[in-house]
Amino acid sequence: MTNLLVCAGKSESFEFAQSIGIGLIQSAIKLTNILTKKSIEDDLPKQIVFVGTAGIYKKGEILEIYESSKASNLEISRLLNLSYSPLNLENPLNVSRETSLTNSSNIVINSSNFITQDKNLAAKFYENGFDLENMEFYSVLSVANFFKIKCKAVVCTTNFCDENAHEMFIKNHDAAKEKLKIYMKEKGLI
Protein backbone atom coordinates (compact mmCIF):
# COMPACT_ATOMS: atom_id res chain seq x y z
CA MET A 1 0.00 0.00 0.00
CA THR A 2 1.35 3.43 -0.93
CA ASN A 3 -1.04 6.01 0.55
CA LEU A 4 -3.70 5.68 3.21
CA LEU A 5 -6.26 8.43 2.71
CA VAL A 6 -8.24 9.37 5.81
CA CYS A 7 -10.85 11.97 6.74
CA ALA A 8 -12.85 12.89 9.82
CA GLY A 9 -16.13 11.44 8.61
CA LYS A 10 -19.79 12.33 9.14
CA SER A 11 -20.34 15.58 7.19
CA GLU A 12 -16.68 15.54 6.16
CA SER A 13 -16.64 12.18 4.40
CA PHE A 14 -15.08 11.39 1.05
CA GLU A 15 -15.66 8.25 -1.01
CA PHE A 16 -11.87 7.92 -1.49
CA ALA A 17 -10.90 8.21 2.21
CA GLN A 18 -11.50 6.17 5.35
CA SER A 19 -13.38 7.96 8.12
CA ILE A 20 -11.47 8.07 11.41
CA GLY A 21 -13.72 10.21 13.58
CA ILE A 22 -14.06 13.82 14.64
CA GLY A 23 -11.67 15.50 17.08
CA LEU A 24 -8.41 14.51 18.71
CA ILE A 25 -9.57 11.39 20.57
CA GLN A 26 -11.72 9.55 18.00
CA SER A 27 -9.22 10.14 15.20
CA ALA A 28 -6.29 8.84 17.27
CA ILE A 29 -8.13 5.70 18.39
CA LYS A 30 -9.56 4.75 15.01
CA LEU A 31 -6.37 5.48 13.04
CA THR A 32 -4.31 3.48 15.56
CA ASN A 33 -6.75 0.60 15.17
CA ILE A 34 -6.52 0.74 11.34
CA LEU A 35 -2.71 0.84 11.38
CA THR A 36 -2.40 -1.92 13.97
CA LYS A 37 -4.44 -4.24 11.73
CA LYS A 38 -2.38 -3.23 8.69
CA SER A 39 0.81 -3.83 10.67
CA ILE A 40 -0.30 -7.39 11.50
CA GLU A 41 -1.02 -7.93 7.80
CA ASP A 42 2.39 -6.40 6.93
CA ASP A 43 0.54 -3.82 4.80
CA LEU A 44 1.46 -0.46 6.36
CA PRO A 45 1.15 2.53 4.02
CA LYS A 46 4.17 4.57 3.01
CA GLN A 47 2.23 7.77 3.68
CA ILE A 48 -0.96 8.87 5.41
CA VAL A 49 -2.85 11.71 3.75
CA PHE A 50 -5.46 13.43 5.89
CA VAL A 51 -8.11 15.24 3.83
CA GLY A 52 -10.32 17.85 5.44
CA THR A 53 -11.19 21.46 6.07
CA ALA A 54 -9.56 24.14 8.16
CA GLY A 55 -10.09 27.58 9.60
CA ILE A 56 -7.65 30.44 9.03
CA TYR A 57 -6.11 32.24 12.01
CA LYS A 58 -5.01 35.41 10.23
CA LYS A 59 -3.60 35.17 6.69
CA GLY A 60 -5.01 33.07 3.91
CA GLU A 61 -7.85 32.78 1.47
CA ILE A 62 -11.22 31.07 1.89
CA LEU A 63 -11.62 27.99 -0.34
CA GLU A 64 -7.87 27.65 -0.92
CA ILE A 65 -6.11 24.34 -0.55
CA TYR A 66 -3.06 24.00 1.66
CA GLU A 67 -0.75 21.09 2.37
CA SER A 68 1.04 20.63 5.66
CA SER A 69 3.17 18.14 7.54
CA LYS A 70 3.38 20.26 10.69
CA ALA A 71 0.87 20.27 13.54
CA SER A 72 0.56 21.12 17.18
CA ASN A 73 -2.00 21.02 19.98
CA LEU A 74 -1.99 24.40 21.69
CA GLU A 75 -5.18 25.07 23.63
CA ILE A 76 -6.65 28.53 24.22
CA SER A 77 -6.23 28.16 27.99
CA ARG A 78 -2.49 27.65 27.52
CA LEU A 79 -2.28 30.50 25.02
CA LEU A 80 -3.74 32.77 27.73
CA ASN A 81 -1.42 31.32 30.43
CA LEU A 82 -4.40 29.89 32.30
CA SER A 83 -3.14 26.32 32.30
CA TYR A 84 -0.09 24.14 31.87
CA SER A 85 0.56 20.55 30.90
CA PRO A 86 3.33 18.14 31.83
CA LEU A 87 2.96 16.74 28.29
CA ASN A 88 5.02 18.13 25.43
CA LEU A 89 2.04 19.11 23.29
CA GLU A 90 3.63 22.06 21.56
CA ASN A 91 6.18 21.49 18.86
CA PRO A 92 9.01 24.00 19.19
CA LEU A 93 8.47 25.97 16.03
CA ASN A 94 10.48 28.74 14.49
CA VAL A 95 8.07 29.71 11.77
CA SER A 96 9.20 32.74 9.81
CA ARG A 97 6.51 35.30 9.14
CA GLU A 98 8.69 37.05 6.57
CA THR A 99 7.26 34.98 3.75
CA SER A 100 3.61 35.16 2.85
CA LEU A 101 1.25 32.28 3.45
CA THR A 102 1.41 29.94 0.49
CA ASN A 103 0.22 26.45 -0.30
CA SER A 104 3.57 25.05 0.81
CA SER A 105 4.36 22.53 3.50
CA ASN A 106 5.52 25.34 5.84
CA ILE A 107 1.91 25.70 6.93
CA VAL A 108 1.43 24.85 10.61
CA ILE A 109 -1.93 23.44 11.68
CA ASN A 110 -3.10 23.68 15.27
CA SER A 111 -5.58 21.10 16.52
CA SER A 112 -8.03 21.20 19.40
CA ASN A 113 -11.43 19.74 20.19
CA PHE A 114 -12.65 23.33 20.22
CA ILE A 115 -13.02 25.85 17.38
CA THR A 116 -11.63 29.35 17.85
CA GLN A 117 -14.34 32.02 17.50
CA ASP A 118 -12.40 35.09 18.65
CA LYS A 119 -10.29 36.92 16.07
CA ASN A 120 -7.99 38.36 18.77
CA LEU A 121 -7.19 34.86 20.02
CA ALA A 122 -6.81 33.69 16.43
CA ALA A 123 -4.25 36.48 15.92
CA LYS A 124 -2.40 35.25 19.04
CA PHE A 125 -2.28 31.74 17.60
CA TYR A 126 -0.86 33.21 14.40
CA GLU A 127 1.74 35.20 16.37
CA ASN A 128 2.76 31.91 18.02
CA GLY A 129 3.50 30.30 14.65
CA PHE A 130 0.20 28.70 13.66
CA ASP A 131 -1.56 29.30 10.36
CA LEU A 132 -4.63 27.08 10.28
CA GLU A 133 -6.92 25.21 12.66
CA ASN A 134 -8.21 21.68 12.13
CA MET A 135 -9.55 19.40 14.84
CA GLU A 136 -7.91 16.12 13.80
CA PHE A 137 -4.54 16.66 12.13
CA TYR A 138 -2.37 16.75 15.28
CA SER A 139 -3.69 13.31 16.26
CA VAL A 140 -3.24 11.93 12.75
CA LEU A 141 0.34 13.19 12.62
CA SER A 142 1.08 11.87 16.14
CA VAL A 143 -0.18 8.38 15.25
CA ALA A 144 1.75 8.44 11.95
CA ASN A 145 4.92 9.39 13.84
CA PHE A 146 4.37 6.52 16.28
CA PHE A 147 4.16 4.07 13.36
CA LYS A 148 7.06 5.84 11.57
CA ILE A 149 4.92 6.66 8.54
CA LYS A 150 5.12 9.87 6.51
CA CYS A 151 2.06 12.04 6.88
CA LYS A 152 0.55 15.18 5.44
CA ALA A 153 -2.72 17.07 5.48
CA VAL A 154 -4.50 18.39 2.44
CA VAL A 155 -7.05 20.91 3.69
CA CYS A 156 -9.37 23.44 2.13
CA THR A 157 -10.11 26.53 4.19
CA THR A 158 -13.74 27.31 4.90
CA ASN A 159 -13.61 30.22 7.34
CA PHE A 160 -11.58 32.63 9.39
CA CYS A 161 -11.42 31.88 13.12
CA ASP A 162 -13.74 34.63 14.32
CA GLU A 163 -17.29 35.15 15.54
CA ASN A 164 -18.64 34.03 12.14
CA ALA A 165 -16.55 30.83 12.03
CA HIS A 166 -19.42 28.35 12.24
CA GLU A 167 -21.68 30.22 9.78
CA MET A 168 -18.86 30.47 7.24
CA PHE A 169 -17.91 26.82 7.74
CA ILE A 170 -21.49 25.77 6.97
CA LYS A 171 -21.71 28.13 3.99
CA ASN A 172 -18.42 26.99 2.41
CA HIS A 173 -18.27 23.34 3.44
CA ASP A 174 -19.77 21.76 0.30
CA ALA A 175 -17.64 23.92 -2.02
CA ALA A 176 -14.52 23.03 0.02
CA LYS A 177 -15.25 19.31 -0.26
CA GLU A 178 -15.69 19.62 -4.02
CA LYS A 179 -12.42 21.54 -4.37
CA LEU A 180 -10.64 18.86 -2.34
CA LYS A 181 -11.95 16.10 -4.63
CA ILE A 182 -10.72 17.95 -7.72
CA TYR A 183 -7.34 18.71 -6.12
CA MET A 184 -6.81 15.13 -5.01
CA LYS A 185 -7.51 13.90 -8.57
CA GLU A 186 -5.25 16.53 -10.14
CA LYS A 187 -2.39 15.58 -7.80
CA GLY A 188 -2.85 11.89 -8.54
CA LEU A 189 -3.65 11.08 -4.91
CA ILE A 190 -6.87 9.28 -5.91
Side-chain angles (χ1 to χ4, degrees):
M1 172 179 275
T2 306
N3 287 325
L4 173 62
L5 304 175
V6 296
C7 61
K10 293 196 179 181
S11 69
E12 204 147 300
S13 294
F14 299 89
E15 63 277 358
F16 55 81
Q18 289 187 31
S19 297
I20 56 171
I22 297 170
L24 295 168
I25 309 294
Q26 289 179 10
S27 60
I29 292 169
K30 185 132 186 219
L31 183 57
T32 299
N33 190 29
I34 290 168
L35 293 175
T36 299
K37 288 177 183 174
K38 289 189 175 298
S39 176
I40 292 167
E41 298 164 2
D42 200 25
D43 189 31
L44 283 174
K46 293 204 183 308
Q47 177 175 242
I48 297 169
V49 180
F50 174 79
V51 183
T53 60
I56 303 166
Y57 282 132
K58 187 171 180 179
K59 291 186 179 180
E61 298 292 327
I62 301 291
L63 295 177
E64 286 296 316
I65 296 193
Y66 299 95
E67 291 192 19
S68 176
S69 292
K70 297 178 182 178
S72 189
N73 170 228
L74 181 64
E75 298 289 345
I76 288 174
S77 66
R78 177 64 188 110
L79 186 70
L80 297 175
N81 291 320
L82 298 174
S83 64
Y84 77 94
S85 174
L87 302 173
N88 182 15
L89 298 175
E90 302 166 45
N91 295 334
L93 300 169
N94 295 312
V95 179
S96 171
R97 292 292 173 207
E98 294 172 13
T99 58
S100 62
L101 184 64
T102 64
N103 297 11
S104 76
S105 60
N106 288 327
I107 302 302
V108 182
I109 297 174
N110 189 49
S111 297
S112 171
N113 282 324
F114 300 93
I115 307 299
T116 304
Q117 296 185 99
D118 181 290
K119 70 179 181 180
N120 295 320
L121 291 174
K124 278 187 167 248
F125 276 116
Y126 180 80
E127 290 164 13
N128 278 274
F130 307 106
D131 300 293
L132 304 176
E133 181 172 89
N134 168 277
M135 291 178 69
E136 296 81 24
F137 187 54
Y138 178 77
S139 288
V140 173
L141 188 59
S142 296
V143 172
N145 286 340
F146 177 81
F147 282 91
K148 297 178 176 44
I149 300 170
K150 291 181 183 179
C151 183
K152 72 177 178 178
V154 177
V155 295
C156 186
T157 51
T158 56
N159 57 276
F160 281 91
C161 294
D162 61 20
E163 64 278 356
N164 299 313
H166 186 67
E167 284 175 16
M168 294 304 293
F169 169 79
I170 298 296
K171 177 184 173 189
N172 294 316
H173 191 246
D174 289 340
K177 284 179 62 177
E178 192 57 36
K179 282 192 86 160
L180 282 164
K181 288 177 193 175
I182 293 167
Y183 183 87
M184 296 295 283
K185 286 179 185 171
E186 287 175 353
K187 294 293 182 180
L189 293 167
I190 56 172

